[in-house]
Amino acid sequence: MIFLINLINSLFDLTFAPFVNMNLLWGISVVSLVTGVVMLIIFSYTSDQQGIKETKEKIKGYLLEIRLFKDDLQQNLRSQKQILKYNLLYMKHSLKPMAVMIIPVILIMVQLDNRYSMRPFKAGEKALICLKLADNINPVTANIELKLPAGVTMDAPPLRIEKEGEIDWRVRVDTPGDYDLKFLVGNETFTKKLVAEPRLARLSSEITQASLSQLLITPGESPIPSSTPVKEIKVVYPEMQIKIFGRNIHWMVLFFVLSIVSAFALKGVFKVQI
Amino acid sequence: MLRKVTVIFTVLIVLSLQFVPGCKKGETTSVDKKVLIIGFDGMDPVILQKLIDEGKMPTFKKLAEEGTFKPLQTSMPPQSPVAWSNFITGMNPGGHGIFDFIHRDPQTLMPYLSTSKAEEPKKKISIGNWVIPLSAGKVELLRHGKSFWEILEDKGIPCTVYMIPANFPPVECEARTLSGMGTPDILGTYGTYSYYSNVRPEMKNDELSGGRFYEVNVADGRVDASLVGPKNTFKKDAPDASVNFSVLIDPQNSVGKIVLPDKEIFLKEGEWSEWTRVEFKLIPYLQNVSGICRFYLKETHPDFKLYVTPINLNPEDPALPISTPSGFSKEIYENIGYFYTQGMPEDTKALTAGIFTDGDFLTQATMAFQGELDGYRYMLSQFDKGLLFFYFSSTDQQSHMFWRNHDSSSPAFKEEGFDKYGDVIEKLYQRMDIVLGEAIKKVDDKTSIYVMSDHGFAPFNWSFNLNTWLLDNGYISLIDPSKQEEGELFANVDWQRTKAYGLGLNGLYINISGREPEGIVSQGEEREKLVNELVEKLENIVDPKTGKKVIRKAYKREDIYSGKYVEQAPDIIVGFDRGYRISWESSLGKFPKELVADNKDPWSGDHCMAYDVVPGILLTNRKIKTENPALYDMAPTILAEFGVDKESDMVGSSIF
């Protein structure tokens, strides 16, 4: 499974590679447009194209009926009932392709989320690092140390929260770079990445003890081995802001709008009924 | 097919416009007339001239040499809402109806803030614990008169007016405006901070001035508390809406983490957080109100002390109107981040109450100034035609609080304060020189530049208890004279034996029959005689300690005001002499025993005096022809710059 996830990551890394140093909108636009096309192709193979065509024509016909017989209330209500019926049928036709498409869409969204929901730190920015310990370890008395690489400095003394079994550090990024933070807990060492590059990057906020769902949601870093004194390590990255005409737009809005627009715009080219 | 390809290309072109640097709308119109006005609240001509002479303000000096630098006659009284209303409307207070920070309802004698009024929905129904409004509530701007930007926009001249005082809620118009002084926080007050500690601070009458104290327990390195937000008027008895938060503290290290429902903030002792958005839930899943605040972890050990700024209206989604068009505040937020939307952002009350040290206040005031500066730079980058007005509050608020540190005549002067903060005002003025320099670099030669202030500054060394003087001289009678110093808002006043009373910072009212609920002085001759008598006596009051005249001039309203609202003005406007001002207690109807008291408060500089004691400044890059330009001349002058005639009710005229 880890191999598969790593493979997907590598594929997307490759896809985004041309855009990492460009304006944020390039990468998301191209991926959204390509997603629209891929969805269109999946839709054409997994849906009942003839059924969809007939259903749409029926709906058009009943809409025309409403316009033609607008003074006949009974006819109007009958037409609306038919429109509702065929709308439900249309939705039924869409269920199968939706069920198939949801898998690649989720994978793409996870990849986009890892790149567009958070941004790498800038030089001079401060980062909050949280380490959660196993229940039987007291953070106040335990021998725990955060080893920082050159380019990152400690900005405040650690905050030890006994009841939560947690230690927090605040560090400052002095120079851009991809860093490995090393946590010494007793005799064991744990590593967590901290990215501070002025480019688009795949970021994982937290690593936890291995679980499939966690691997899917935050791919990219090795999980913490199970049965160790550390449960979770988190780096709180700043929120990414994507601006269009001075307005912040969430990446998900942009993704859906662009992929849907491209799918609708190209449905004729691929001769697909949507 | 062609149509579809066109759609795709259109989307790509729209997006690609984002990738092209420096492509902004309206850049081709730089040939149009431009007027830039920078308003520095409370910048004083004497201090400015001294710094210019010392070569410490080179940009101001250059502008003064190329154009003109003159004192600018302020309003009477020289209070910011009054003065800026003169500026906005080209009228005096008789025309725009703002006479003081505080007005009173003549029917109830209850004071209210002069520039705006909020009303709850009139129709509501109750269902169980829930209250459903059937009509909208409203907030009303009480300033009358047309603003110069409304007139300009009517003529098609684009205007941007940033944080101007006395314009909340912003008057409906086409111009881009952001309201300034007078804009409340989320509680509807002019700024109420929160202070959380396990140690009670010293408080007068169990209340913290301008803030709320919450006593908290520190247990196992954890403090649990709530941020108190607006009243939830959707619930019976309108309880406070609140957001719970915790602060986790290290057992030894001086650090803490504030844990909010959706955010964690790590702070060292003595450190401020960034702006934080908080959501107050009024109706679950349906109605939220959001605000923004900053946390200041003042101390973790041995005592816990946490200050939270007043919860400001969120410019992204303000609960009350703060800008025109309504999305303008969001546009500013999206370009500069969160900023103080509250009218007077510097927390002078926290310093007065001892929650802030001078250093804390200076840090907080500097943060407020930085927010203004970010907005200023953004607005300058957008300024390509028409009018841009930009307002800075720091010069006023820091002069109020740091005057005592540079003026050894202040009863609150301390050598230690002089050493540490004696140059704060001077440094601030020098910072404004840089601010002006940024604008001059940005604009072209055809832009008219005005640099102005609404009033100047003077020491506030002695507090005068006007109501005590009226009491001592038989114009006020108390129900129970043994309780002279108790109660407030005239609670102990025997109105049937009272002829006059003081309210606000410069106002003196006659207890007129038919106007006041228990008035005893009749309109006409009796009032006239009493006003003359009071004017004469007031102007002859001498401070027994110093032998100085307390009041430079007492003005009869009819002599200085004109317009539709003269009748609503105080009967006499008291113009204090340099060094004197009304006491805080007397301005809200209290009767301290002492007639004149040394002012040892941090609030040690002021301007609520006679108008000729504290003129403002005016610098332009043109030669001014008028001998004594006044604030109410500014609106006609700005209109004339664009070739627009002044309105008939404007009392001022162009200075050129």
Side-chain angles (χ1 to χ4, degrees):
Chain A
M1 193 65 198
I2 291 176
F3 167 76
L4 185 65
I5 289 168
N6 285 337
L7 181 70
I8 294 168
N9 283 337
S10 304
L11 275 173
F12 276 92
D13 285 345
L14 206 64
T15 309
F16 279 98
F19 310 115
V20 291
N21 290 315
M22 295 168 79
N23 185 298
L24 288 174
L25 289 172
W26 282 113
I28 195 167
S29 303
V30 170
V31 169
S32 305
L33 293 171
V34 171
T35 304
V37 173
V38 171
M39 295 301 110
L40 208 57
I41 294 165
I42 294 175
F43 197 87
S44 74
Y45 284 104
T46 55
S47 63
D48 176 358
Q49 287 286 295
Q50 187 57 32
I52 289 175
K53 190 178 178 191
E54 283 169 12
T55 310
K56 278 167 66 181
E57 277 169 6
K58 287 277 184 192
I59 293 170
K60 274 187 210 162
Y62 287 115
L63 283 170
L64 190 63
E65 236 177 41
I66 289 175
R67 288 184 64 183
L68 288 172
F69 303 103
K70 59 184 173 192
D71 298 327
D72 185 341
L73 182 64
Q74 276 198 335
Q75 180 60 43
N76 235 298
L77 289 171
R78 270 198 300 275
S79 305
Q80 287 192 19
K81 189 180 155 193
Q82 291 300 319
I83 289 171
L84 181 66
K85 180 184 147 191
Y86 281 100
N87 263 317
L88 291 171
L89 189 62
Y90 179 77
M91 283 165 74
K92 189 185 152 199
H93 283 310
S94 308
L95 282 178
K96 189 178 156 195
M98 290 293 174
V100 176
M101 280 193 295
I102 202 153
I103 298 161
V105 167
I106 285 176
L107 285 175
I108 293 167
M109 287 178 71
V110 166
Q111 291 291 332
L112 287 171
D113 190 62
N114 283 326
R115 288 169 174 81
Y116 289 99
S117 62
M118 301 169 286
R119 65 165 173 80
F121 292 103
K122 294 174 186 167
E125 274 188 329
K126 292 169 184 176
L128 178 62
I129 318 288
C130 309
L131 181 143
K132 283 207 170 170
L133 294 159
D135 297 341
N136 56 344
I137 302 173
N138 184 338
V140 180
T141 52
N143 184 20
I144 298 166
E145 199 184 338
L146 168 58
K147 289 267 186 197
L148 294 173
V152 182
T153 49
M154 196 65 76
D155 185 60
L159 167 64
R160 296 156 301 173
I161 309 161
E162 194 173 341
K163 277 208 158 180
E164 310 283 328
E166 182 180 324
I167 305 186
D168 295 349
W169 292 269
R170 199 174 67 184
V171 299
R172 192 181 64 247
V173 176
D174 297 323
T175 47
D178 270 9
Y179 298 105
D180 282 337
L181 307 175
K182 291 203 183 301
F183 300 83
L184 307 181
V185 181
N187 297 323
E188 293 182 69
T189 303
F190 301 86
T191 307
K192 171 79 189 81
K193 279 198 178 304
L194 183 148
V195 183
E197 294 276 15
R199 59 171 169 79
L200 185 67
R202 175 159 52 87
L203 304 173
S204 83
S205 176
E206 59 195 35
I207 52 169
T208 57
Q209 291 191 356
S211 82
L212 187 61
S213 61
Q214 196 61 41
L215 280 172
L216 277 170
I217 295 165
T218 57
E221 281 190 76
S222 302
I224 300 167
S226 50
S227 309
T228 58
V230 174
K231 285 204 302 197
E232 180 187 309
I233 304 173
K234 189 165 79 177
V235 170
V236 184
Y237 283 100
E239 204 178 296
M240 171 87 87
Q241 302 214 315
I242 305 172
K243 286 197 174 183
I244 297 181
F245 294 123
R247 295 278 159 138
N248 289 326
I249 308 285
H250 195 275
W251 70 262
M252 216 183 282
V253 174
L254 205 57
F255 170 67
F256 277 115
V257 168
L258 290 177
S259 53
I260 288 167
V261 164
S262 68
F264 271 92
L266 296 168
K267 68 186 169 80
V269 178
F270 290 91
K271 296 190 172 55
V272 181
Q273 288 290 333
I274 299 179
Chain B
M1 174 68 192
L2 184 65
R3 192 165 59 90
K4 281 158 191 167
V5 172
T6 312
V7 170
I8 296 170
F9 271 95
T10 308
V11 171
L12 286 172
I13 288 164
V14 167
L15 285 168
S16 64
L17 281 175
Q18 295 296 309
F19 309 151
V20 180
C23 182
K24 296 180 196 105
K25 60 179 179 178
E27 266 190 359
T28 53
T29 54
S30 60
V31 289
D32 292 345
K33 175 73 186 173
K34 291 202 286 186
V35 173
L36 171 68
I37 307 165
I38 307 172
F40 295 111
D41 201 310
M43 189 173 265
D44 183 68
V46 178
I47 298 175
L48 179 60
Q49 186 63 62
K50 175 180 164 279
L51 294 175
I52 287 175
D53 293 345
E54 289 170 2
K56 290 176 177 168
M57 299 192 65
T59 317
F60 272 76
K61 186 179 183 189
K62 193 162 173 251
L63 184 62
E65 283 169 355
E66 286 172 5
T68 315
F69 168 26
K70 284 194 169 200
L72 182 62
Q73 183 187 302
T74 182
S75 58
M76 188 59 220
Q79 299 180 29
S80 294
V82 187
W84 287 108
S85 296
N86 277 20
F87 167 74
I88 291 167
T89 61
M91 296 194 267
N92 64 45
H96 55 66
I98 306 295
F99 304 99
D100 200 296
F101 272 103
I102 300 164
H103 285 184
R104 64 41 173 140
D105 177 350
Q107 297 302 312
T108 61
L109 300 184
M110 288 304 289
Y112 61 89
L113 297 168
S114 61
T115 53
S116 65
K117 183 172 77 175
E119 269 182 25
E120 284 198 1
K122 283 185 180 143
K123 291 178 187 168
K124 297 173 184 175
I125 56 165
S126 295
I127 302 169
N129 273 337
W130 294 94
V131 177
I132 300 163
L134 298 176
S135 61
K138 64 174 182 179
V139 195
E140 192 185 348
L141 175 66
L142 299 178
R143 174 179 52 72
H144 302 284
K146 213 168 182 182
S147 62
F148 62 79
W149 60 86
E150 285 175 274
I151 300 165
L152 290 177
E153 282 282 349
D154 286 348
K155 301 281 178 191
I157 296 152
C159 297
T160 303
V161 179
Y162 198 100
M163 278 211 160
I164 195 155
N167 193 46
F168 172 81
V171 59
E172 284 290 335
C173 63
E174 296 288 313
R176 300 201 305 169
T177 67
L178 181 71
S179 63
M181 184 187 290
T183 309
D185 61 10
I186 208 161
L187 303 179
T189 68
Y190 277 1
T192 303
Y193 63 87
S194 305
Y195 180 60
Y196 303 84
S197 179
N198 54 331
V199 184
R200 283 180 81 78
E202 276 184 34
M203 293 187 271
K204 284 179 190 167
N205 310 321
D206 228 25
E207 278 188 18
L208 208 56
S209 170
R212 288 181 182 171
F213 169 64
Y214 301 94
E215 193 158 8
V216 292
N217 285 321
V218 186
D220 293 333
R222 183 185 178 102
V223 172
D224 290 310
S226 293
L227 282 173
V228 176
K231 296 270 177 208
N232 187 352
T233 50
F234 293 102
K235 280 197 162 177
K236 206 173 170 185
D237 302 327
D240 292 326
S242 62
V243 171
N244 293 334
F245 70 95
S246 306
V247 187
L248 306 169
I249 309 160
D250 187 86
Q252 283 113 29
N253 299 328
S254 299
V255 288
K257 186 166 83 167
I258 297 160
V259 183
L260 287 150
D262 60 348
K263 195 166 191 173
E264 295 185 344
I265 304 162
F266 187 110
L267 293 175
K268 285 191 278 191
E269 191 174 283
E271 201 171 45
W272 286 79
S273 74
E274 296 295 317
W275 282 107
T276 305
R277 179 185 168 127
V278 281
E279 292 277 344
F280 296 96
K281 291 185 176 116
L282 303 183
I283 305 175
Y285 308 109
L286 286 178
Q287 185 72 49
N288 283 5
V289 170
S290 69
I292 54 166
C293 60
R294 292 180 82 154
F295 296 84
Y296 170 42
L297 186 59
K298 197 169 159 64
E299 191 177 312
T300 52
H301 306 291
D303 295 315
F304 175 80
K305 293 175 184 173
L306 176 75
Y307 163 93
V308 185
T309 61
I311 300 170
N312 280 232
L313 297 169
N314 178 2
E316 262 182 294
D317 180 22
L320 293 168
I322 59 170
S323 69
T324 59
S326 58
F328 182 48
S329 62
K330 188 175 182 186
E331 180 197 324
I332 299 164
Y333 156 74
E334 286 181 333
N335 286 281
I336 69 166
Y338 288 124
F339 57 94
Y340 275 101
T341 53
Q342 175 202 323
M344 283 186 284
E346 294 85 357
D347 202 338
T348 55
K349 292 283 177 65
L351 178 56
T352 303
I355 302 303
F356 275 175
T357 60
D358 280 354
D360 294 336
F361 176 75
L362 186 57
T363 305
Q364 189 267 332
T366 306
M367 291 186 317
F369 168 66
Q370 187 58 49
E372 291 175 350
L373 197 56
D374 292 343
Y376 176 69
R377 287 172 179 157
Y378 173 60
M379 283 301 129
L380 281 178
S381 74
Q382 300 280 301
F383 181 42
D384 50 23
K385 60 182 171 179
L387 176 133
L388 170 63
F389 169 88
F390 201 95
Y391 169 85
F392 285 95
S393 64
S394 307
T395 26
D396 179 83
Q397 298 287 287
Q398 293 198 37
S399 297
H400 277 301
M401 305 313 283
F402 285 108
W403 193 275
R404 70 203 142 100
N405 292 313
H406 88 281
D407 181 355
S408 59
S409 76
S410 169
F413 177 82
K414 285 177 186 157
E415 282 294 341
E416 187 194 356
F418 174 77
D419 295 340
K420 270 183 158 176
Y421 303 106
D423 60 354
V424 165
I425 296 172
E426 184 177 312
K427 278 187 175 164
L428 184 64
Y429 273 57
Q430 287 178 274
R431 208 168 288 159
M432 296 313 169
D433 194 71
I434 298 166
V435 164
L436 175 60
E438 286 186 30
I440 288 174
K441 266 186 207 156
K442 170 77 180 90
V443 299
D444 55 37
D445 294 344
K446 292 176 195 138
T447 306
S448 297
I449 301 170
Y450 295 80
V451 180
M452 55 163 297
S453 67
D454 55 335
H455 52 71
F457 254 86
F460 170 22
N461 291 346
W462 302 284
S463 296
F464 179 70
N465 288 305
L466 178 62
N467 279 312
T468 306
W469 181 85
L470 289 167
L471 179 70
D472 293 347
N473 286 272
Y475 295 101
I476 290 179
S477 293
L478 298 180
I479 297 164
D480 183 352
S482 69
K483 294 180 178 171
Q484 182 182 329
E485 289 187 279
E486 293 174 28
E488 53 187 25
L489 296 177
F490 305 106
N492 190 22
V493 168
D494 179 354
W495 289 105
Q496 293 186 356
R497 292 190 296 135
T498 290
K499 288 182 178 175
Y501 58 101
L503 194 117
L505 296 171
N506 295 84
L508 194 156
Y509 297 86
I510 306 296
N511 190 21
I512 302 269
S513 58
R515 185 180 74 180
E516 270 77 2
E518 295 176 75
I520 59 167
V521 179
S522 51
Q523 285 278 20
E525 202 179 323
E526 191 184 359
R527 174 190 173 275
E528 182 77 18
K529 200 176 152 202
L530 180 59
V531 166
N532 287 335
E533 180 183 310
L534 280 166
V535 163
E536 193 190 333
K537 285 187 178 176
L538 286 166
E539 288 180 354
N540 285 307
I541 296 171
V542 170
D543 179 353
K545 279 186 195 165
T546 62
K548 290 181 177 179
K549 246 182 95 169
V550 173
I551 291 162
R552 187 181 184 91
K553 189 158 177 60
Y555 305 89
K556 291 193 271 185
R557 70 180 182 197
E558 297 82 0
D559 292 348
I560 54 168
Y561 294 156
S562 56
K564 277 198 275 187
Y565 302 96
V566 176
E567 292 289 312
Q568 292 177 13
D571 295 275
I572 297 169
I573 299 92
V574 182
F576 292 96
D577 214 336
R578 190 175 172 81
Y580 291 89
R581 208 208 72 174
I582 200 158
S583 71
W584 295 110
E585 293 89 345
S586 189
S587 66
L588 283 173
K590 284 187 180 178
F591 299 89
K593 282 260 162 72
E594 212 174 1
L595 186 63
V596 185
D598 283 353
N599 175 29
K600 291 180 180 170
D601 268 11
W603 186 287
S604 49
D606 212 288
H607 45 82
C608 298
M609 299 160 188
Y611 74 96
D612 50 348
V613 174
V614 282
I617 61 150
L618 177 62
L619 287 95
T620 73
N621 55 354
R622 294 174 61 186
K623 296 289 176 196
I624 297 172
K625 289 185 183 148
T626 309
E627 193 58 38
N628 298 306
L631 269 172
Y632 49 62
D633 292 327
M634 293 302 293
T637 305
I638 296 160
L639 294 177
E641 283 271 16
F642 291 98
V644 177
D645 292 337
K646 69 171 188 170
E647 299 273 297
S648 58
D649 52 4
M650 289 180 167
V651 295
S653 48
S654 175
I655 60 174
F656 299 116

